[in-house]
Amino acid sequence: MFELKEVKMMGMGGRRGGGGGSAGGGSTGGTTGGRTFTYLRAPTSLSARMNGSTTMADGASIRTWYFGNGFNGDRTVPSPVIEANQGEIVEVTLSSMMEHTIHFHGLDVDQQNDGVPATSFAVGGQGNANSYTYTFAAPHAGTYMYHCHVDTHKHFEMGMFGTVIIRPTNGSTNQVWDNGPSFDKEYIWQLTTFDSTWHSGGGMGGAVLQRYRPNYFMINGKDGANTLTDPTTAISAGAGQKVLIRVNGTSYLPGIIRLGGLQFEVIASDGRPLAVPYTTTEQLCCAGERYDLLVTMPSSGQYTASIEYRDIRNGKAVGTASTTLTVV
């Protein structure tokens, strides 16, 4: 077992080596403000485990690796949401007995804190320090990603990833960025696919990883009928309310987002506001991309929203994850 410890906001100073910090403590926020998910903030502790599992809609148990208590505290994939305010100094201490890193995907950090082993170092394993505190200044308010960058193809597939939200400088949970659009409710859609052979005991490396043929298609770690009613995914809001959906491309496959024919605004991409937002009924999200979508709820009705996952080589649809959008 290894641990990712002490996610601290407003701390100072990165350091290599050392280690420690308590296994507990810190703070976990509930679904406050417009949020529909729990989050981690100022200072907190996480453990990362390679002994997890998740039960799919067909009853299959799939092996997973994950950080902390998982997304929303009730699933092992994805990992928890981490938040900070724009301009704050963020410290994330990773402690590990095996080789792992944290890469803050899309965040502007220096090379020492970028978590790419080939250009910096790994934490844990033979000859490496077993702890390191990644430190960076929280940049523009927006939606970002974090993941392990050791043997990324495998570790990412197993579930070692999550979402980072940088809030406006005043910490608002109902505004996307300083002087930006306002919203009433907020969802995260983390697009995920599993090739179950990659997760089996005999599929931990070698020839198995040379082909990727996903057979589970998810939003926020849920698939099939489970996605239709998952409260972190299924949208429920009043007529006329504005709903922000933070889409995080955490699948190796591209996905097309549709909201049952409803129009929505695309207001930001990869952590930056769009100079000219646009209105559409579908949006393609590829691996590693993030999009902020703003939808105004219609006067009434229930709609079926979906992510249609496409084959990266021929563009054909290979699977779909669906959920509901309900006016209450």
Side-chain angles (χ1 to χ4, degrees):
M1 182 180 289
F2 58 95
E3 292 185 87
L4 164 65
K5 294 183 177 178
E6 291 186 282
V7 179
K8 305 175 185 176
M9 312 303 176
M10 300 302 289
M12 290 296 294
R15 57 189 181 276
R16 184 165 187 175
S22 63
S27 64
T28 301
T31 55
T32 58
R35 298 182 188 89
T36 55
F37 50 86
T38 62
Y39 63 99
L40 298 175
R41 180 181 171 83
T44 190
S45 298
L46 288 172
S47 60
R49 302 183 176 93
M50 297 173 71
N51 61 348
S53 65
T54 186
T55 302
M56 312 308 292
D58 63 3
S61 179
I62 305 295
R63 182 179 179 182
T64 58
W65 301 345
Y66 64 105
F67 295 122
N69 291 324
F71 178 65
N72 215 48
D74 62 5
R75 67 202 70 179
T76 63
V77 175
S79 291
V81 176
I82 299 172
E83 293 194 8
N85 293 346
Q86 180 175 316
E88 291 181 344
I89 300 299
V90 182
E91 295 184 355
V92 179
T93 299
L94 170 66
S95 298
S96 176
M97 299 303 293
M98 300 177 67
E99 286 196 8
H100 292 280
T101 69
I102 300 175
H103 171 66
F104 296 97
H105 185 97
L107 291 158
D108 295 327
V109 304
D110 59 71
Q111 182 170 301
Q112 179 77 357
N113 291 286
D114 198 36
V116 179
T119 55
S120 56
F121 53 87
V123 177
Q126 186 174 3
N128 298 323
N130 63 7
S131 179
Y132 178 75
T133 299
Y134 297 91
T135 305
F136 61 91
H140 309 275
T143 306
Y144 302 90
M145 182 193 304
Y146 71 96
H147 63 84
C148 179
H149 220 310
V150 174
D151 295 333
T152 316
H153 60 296
K154 178 65 179 182
H155 292 213
F156 197 94
E157 164 77 11
M158 292 298 292
M160 299 185 77
F161 60 81
T163 296
V164 177
I165 297 174
I166 305 300
R167 299 285 178 186
T169 52
N170 66 0
S172 172
T173 58
N174 294 104
Q175 195 168 42
V176 188
W177 56 79
D178 290 351
N179 302 313
S182 298
F183 57 89
D184 299 294
K185 296 192 73 174
E186 177 182 18
Y187 290 80
I188 296 174
W189 282 4
Q190 294 158 115
L191 314 187
T192 308
T193 54
F194 277 171
D195 180 335
S196 59
T197 64
W198 285 36
H199 295 252
S200 65
M204 303 307 290
V208 171
L209 304 187
Q210 294 177 12
R211 293 288 185 271
Y212 189 63
R213 299 185 177 92
N215 52 337
Y216 291 104
F217 305 92
M218 296 166 279
I219 309 173
N220 294 335
K222 300 290 186 180
D223 79 314
N226 294 332
T227 313
L228 293 171
T229 57
D230 175 35
T232 70
T233 304
I235 294 173
S236 177
Q241 286 194 314
K242 291 187 178 296
V243 175
L244 176 68
I245 308 173
R246 298 181 184 269
V247 178
N248 196 345
T250 52
S251 167
Y252 290 142
L253 298 187
I256 298 177
I257 301 102
R258 300 185 178 98
L259 302 184
L262 293 177
Q263 291 190 329
F264 55 88
E265 287 184 275
V266 182
I267 61 173
S269 173
D270 295 341
R272 298 291 190 276
L274 293 179
V276 182
Y278 56 90
T279 300
T280 185
T281 57
E282 61 180 44
Q283 175 63 46
L284 175 67
C285 181
C286 296
E289 291 187 318
R290 286 91 55 217
Y291 288 95
D292 289 359
L293 314 181
L294 194 62
V295 57
T296 301
M297 297 293 281
S299 58
S300 62
Q302 184 175 78
Y303 303 80
T304 300
S306 63
I307 311 296
E308 183 183 277
Y309 291 99
R310 298 289 187 93
D311 188 293
I312 198 169
R313 294 176 293 276
N314 58 31
K316 294 181 179 180
V318 294
T320 300
S322 298
T323 191
T324 54
L325 189 153
T326 306
V327 182
V328 295

